[in-house]
Every structure is written in structure tokens, then in C-alpha cells.
Amino acid sequence: MKKKLSHVQLKLLAEKIILTIRNNDKKFFSQKSLAKRFKVKFENITSATELLTEWGYKLKFNSKDKSLNFLSSPDILSDTEIKYKLKTKVIGQNVLAYNRVKSTNDIASTMAMAKAKVPHGTIITANEQTRGRGRLGRSWHSPPGSGIYLSIILKPRFSPDKAPGISIMTALALAETINEFLPGKVQIKWPNDVFINGKKTSGILTELSAEKNKINYLIVGIGINVNQPPGSFPDEIKETATSIRKVLRKKTNRADLLKSFLLNFEKEYDLYCKNQLSDSLKRLKKYSYLQDKHVRIISGNEKIDGKVIGLSSDGSIILEQKKETISVASGEVTIDVQKT
Ligand code: BT5
């Protein structure tokens, strides 16, 4: 006699059903044949399909014999949705998808610290963050159901001095991705912001754990405003933030965007490991928000002024000053509107 399934087993069954029927979306599957295929009771198939409908999957039922097929998937960031047709080799192949967390970067660092064996390329995602973090103690607004909140655990073989360039490499992967969905409108603001139409749509927070000449792990945290409706940002950022939906005027499936990003991230990361940014500088220039602008950079206690003439292959920004050309590795940039 087959037992009643626990909630976890039911969830796994629902995921197996969705994978089977969406891979054959022309064909109707009888619930009886599904019960036989997965060696469970007919009632369990009914409960699992109810669960799928609860999650937002649209299924089509044949009223005569109760067979079903797949119509569409909801905009959710579940591990099933993320793994379905994910084309990467490594990045994102190990997924931990949460609903509500304080910060995906916190989870990623705790995991990487506690488990030396956590695979390179593991990703943590969340539907909502209650304490999303920006740089220097700032916060990242992370409402439920509309953004992508993602952390990637990397275990690079390169030395710690090469870690800072990963932020701008990530920004490039993001720009290439957003450009597929919204051509011609995306720009990168060095060192870690992605803009659409001059407003921030994505931010990157890279955190490093290293000793001497060895990186233990690197966490790349990425927040993307995807489906936030216009007018939904809090007062502090309503003038400076935007979402893809606001500009595209329609919603984007977050799992599709995330998978496209993971593939671009993997390509850029492979290039970075070989040659840092040498092969990416042209594309970085194309997306640059700061190119040829006069800026002020606050880096530690220093204030540095100059005109942006490019980036170097380690990710530093190159400024032209009256008498010399200098490069700056990190800092906060503001544009000098009077000179630009
Ligand atoms: C960043 O910091 O832009 C890095 C943001 C990284 C967020 C991701 S989400 C997944 C992972 N887990 C985390 O806890 N964090 C990472 P920064 O350059 O310091 O910019 C922060 C500033 O951006 C804030 O002070 C606001 O002014 C603005 N801001 C906050 N939330 C925003 C949003 N959703 N969209 C646009 N701007 C925002």
C-alpha cells in the first residue's frame, strides 16, 4: 500500500510533474499515467497539481478524462524555475532559492564560511530581503515579488589583488543581459551600478574573504529592480531609482532574466580569469555612463577630480588631470555638472 506523501514529498512530486509536462507541452498526460510513472497514488497527483496551481502554474485539464498539460509558468524564483533550461556549466547549477531572508549575501557568507565544500558557482536567491545591504552600511530596497536578489559564491584561483575588478565585470554581464531585454538604454556607472535612462536599476556588492595570497571565497551580491511598478519606490530613492518594467512598460519573467544573466556572468567570469578585463574594455566603454565626464571621486579620505578617459584591465578608472593621468581603484563618484 502506497503511503500518503509528506508536504516535502508532495512538493518534489509537483516539481517532477511540471518538468515532465512542460517538456512535452503539446501532449496531454493522464493523471493515471503520471501516478504510474512516479509510483504514487492517483490522489497524490491530484494534490500535487493543486499545489502547482497554488504556485501560479497554469495547467489545462481535459474535462473528459482529467488529463492535463502545461500552459504557462508564474513569475517566481524557485529552484525549479531557475534550473529549467539553465544553459550555464557551473554558475547557478547549485541553487538555494528562498522566499524571505535578511540578506542573500549574509546567507552566502555564512555558508561559504561554514562549509569549505560549498561548490564554486553556488547561488542564493530570494523573493524578498528584509535587510538588503548596499556598500558602506547602506541599504538595498528589496520588496517582495518584483526584484531579483542574488548572491553568487565564487572560489577563484586568482590572487586577492584581482578581486576588485569582479564588480565591474559583473556590471558588464548585467548590462549585456538588460540590453537583451531593453536594447540601447543601459549604462554602467563605475564601479558597481547599472543604470537605465540615467537611473539606478541594479547595484552590486562584492565581499571578499582572503588570507595572504589566497582567496577563500568571494561573494557577489546583485540586486536588480525588475517588476517594481512606477511610483512604488520609497521617497529616498524615487528620483534616482528605476525598474526594467517602468521603462519597458511591461513585466519581465524574473527567472528568464536571471538565467540569461547567469550565462552572461559565466562568460564574463571565464574571460576575467584568463585576462582580467583586457578583452572587455571595448564593451565597457560602449556602456560607460561616465566616459568623457568630469568627475569627483571620494576614495577613502581623498578627493580626486578629473576627466574620465577609460578603464584599465584591472577595473580601475582612468582620469585625465591637468598634468597627469591617474588611475583610481575604488570610490564614490559624482559628476561635476559644471565642467561636463
Ligand atoms: C549597492 O550599494 O548598490 C549594492 C546593492 C547590492 C544589493 C544586493 S541584493 C542581493 C545581495 N544581498 C544584499 O544584502 N545585497 C546584495 P551602494 O552603491 O552602496 O548603493 C546603495 C544606495 O542605492 C542606497 O543608499 C540608495 O540610495 C540606493 N538604493 C537602495 N535600494 C535601491 C534600489 N532598489 N534601487 C535603486 N537604488 C537603490
Side-chain angles (χ1 to χ4, degrees), residues 143-331:
S146 51
I148 292 178
Y149 317 113
L150 162 74
S151 298
I152 308 177
I153 301 176
L154 299 173
K155 305 235 173 128
R157 296 216 179 99
F158 52 71
S159 51
D161 59 309
K162 296 205 170 80
I166 288 290
S167 287
I168 199 82
M169 178 232 99
T170 304
L172 180 58
L174 267 170
E176 295 283 23
T177 308
I178 295 174
N179 198 47
E180 290 165 17
F181 290 77
L182 239 184
K185 295 204 158 67
V186 57
Q187 286 187 305
I188 296 169
K189 184 181 174 221
W190 182 90
N192 73 323
D193 290 345
V194 177
F195 280 18
I196 301 177
N197 283 351
K199 294 192 174 186
K200 185 158 169 170
T201 190
S202 182
I204 298 155
L205 171 68
T206 305
E207 295 179 305
L208 172 72
S209 161
E211 46 193 287
K212 287 185 194 147
N213 268 332
K214 189 182 167 285
I215 293 182
N216 298 324
Y217 57 85
L218 192 59
I219 310 288
V220 187
I222 300 128
I224 316 173
N225 300 329
V226 186
N227 288 328
Q228 281 91 337
S232 69
F233 289 106
D235 284 352
E236 315 87 79
I237 54 170
K238 70 175 184 207
E239 303 298 332
T240 53
T242 194
S243 67
I244 296 177
R245 176 178 176 185
K246 194 171 167 195
V247 184
L248 197 58
R249 290 166 191 265
K250 62 172 188 181
K251 285 188 173 184
T252 299
N253 181 286
R254 284 174 299 158
D256 288 346
L257 184 84
L258 173 63
K259 282 181 271 193
S260 167
F261 168 69
L262 293 174
L263 189 60
N264 280 316
F265 183 92
E266 187 165 271
K267 283 185 201 156
E268 300 301 337
Y269 182 72
D270 285 350
L271 283 177
Y272 191 86
C273 288
K274 279 182 204 136
N275 240 338
Q276 289 186 269
L277 298 167
S278 314
D279 301 322
S280 317
L281 290 175
K282 251 196 200 154
R283 287 178 301 130
L284 278 164
K285 189 169 180 184
K286 179 182 103 184
Y287 287 119
S288 173
Y289 179 72
L290 296 175
Q291 181 69 31
D292 298 327
K293 296 208 166 107
H294 290 268
V295 298
R296 162 161 293 185
I297 301 181
I298 312 228
S299 183
N301 294 328
E302 260 188 300
K303 286 182 188 145
I304 308 156
D305 294 326
K307 181 182 161 190
V308 176
I309 56 168
L311 286 182
S312 45
S313 60
D314 65 356
S316 315
I317 196 163
I318 307 172
L319 300 184
E320 184 184 72
Q321 297 182 315
K322 272 190 193 127
K323 290 190 182 137
E324 57 181 352
T325 297
I326 59 158
S327 72
V328 183
S330 66

Side-chain angles (χ1 to χ4, degrees), residues 19-234:
L19 263 181
T20 310
I21 64 176
R22 93 194 298 186
N23 278 330
N24 298 281
D25 59 358
K26 296 271 175 334
K27 192 174 147 193
F28 273 85
F29 287 82
S30 79
Q31 299 200 36
K32 234 179 173 176
S33 73
L34 288 171
K36 208 169 155 196
R37 177 191 284 241
F38 298 122
K39 298 191 177 66
V40 294
K41 281 185 182 172
F42 182 86
E43 289 78 9
N44 288 321
I45 299 292
T46 316
S47 312
T49 52
E50 279 167 13
L51 194 57
L52 287 170
T53 318
E54 238 171 69
W55 289 344
Y57 285 94
K58 298 262 183 300
L59 308 173
K60 198 169 170 188
F61 289 91
N62 180 329
S63 53
K64 272 194 208 143
D65 62 358
K66 295 271 182 344
S67 59
L68 56 119
N69 82 347
F70 174 82
L71 281 180
S72 67
S73 54
D75 178 26
I76 53 171
L77 288 179
S78 62
D79 50 356
T80 312
E81 283 305 308
I82 295 169
K83 278 192 180 155
Y84 183 68
K85 293 196 174 167
L86 174 64
K87 296 199 186 88
T88 57
K89 290 194 199 83
V90 180
I91 304 292
Q93 289 299 335
N94 189 32
V95 184
L96 285 128
Y98 291 88
N99 183 33
R100 194 166 191 243
V101 300
K102 279 188 183 162
S103 151
T104 55
N105 262 35
D106 290 351
I107 296 188
S109 344
T110 311
M111 268 184 76
M113 237 184 296
K115 295 186 198 162
K117 284 201 182 114
V118 58
H120 165 79
T122 295
I123 65 166
I124 322 288
T125 65
N127 187 47
E128 177 185 5
Q129 291 185 127
T130 51
R131 283 204 191 168
R133 295 193 284 112
R135 294 177 305 154
L136 307 166
R138 292 185 287 238
S139 63
W140 185 256
H141 177 61
S142 314
S146 51
I148 292 178
Y149 317 113
L150 162 74
S151 298
I152 308 177
I153 301 176
L154 299 173
K155 305 235 173 128
R157 296 216 179 99
F158 52 71
S159 51
D161 59 309
K162 296 205 170 80
I166 288 290
S167 287
I168 199 82
M169 178 232 99
T170 304
L172 180 58
L174 267 170
E176 295 283 23
T177 308
I178 295 174
N179 198 47
E180 290 165 17
F181 290 77
L182 239 184
K185 295 204 158 67
V186 57
Q187 286 187 305
I188 296 169
K189 184 181 174 221
W190 182 90
N192 73 323
D193 290 345
V194 177
F195 280 18
I196 301 177
N197 283 351
K199 294 192 174 186
K200 185 158 169 170
T201 190
S202 182
I204 298 155
L205 171 68
T206 305
E207 295 179 305
L208 172 72
S209 161
E211 46 193 287
K212 287 185 194 147
N213 268 332
K214 189 182 167 285
I215 293 182
N216 298 324
Y217 57 85
L218 192 59
I219 310 288
V220 187
I222 300 128
I224 316 173
N225 300 329
V226 186
N227 288 328
Q228 281 91 337
S232 69
F233 289 106

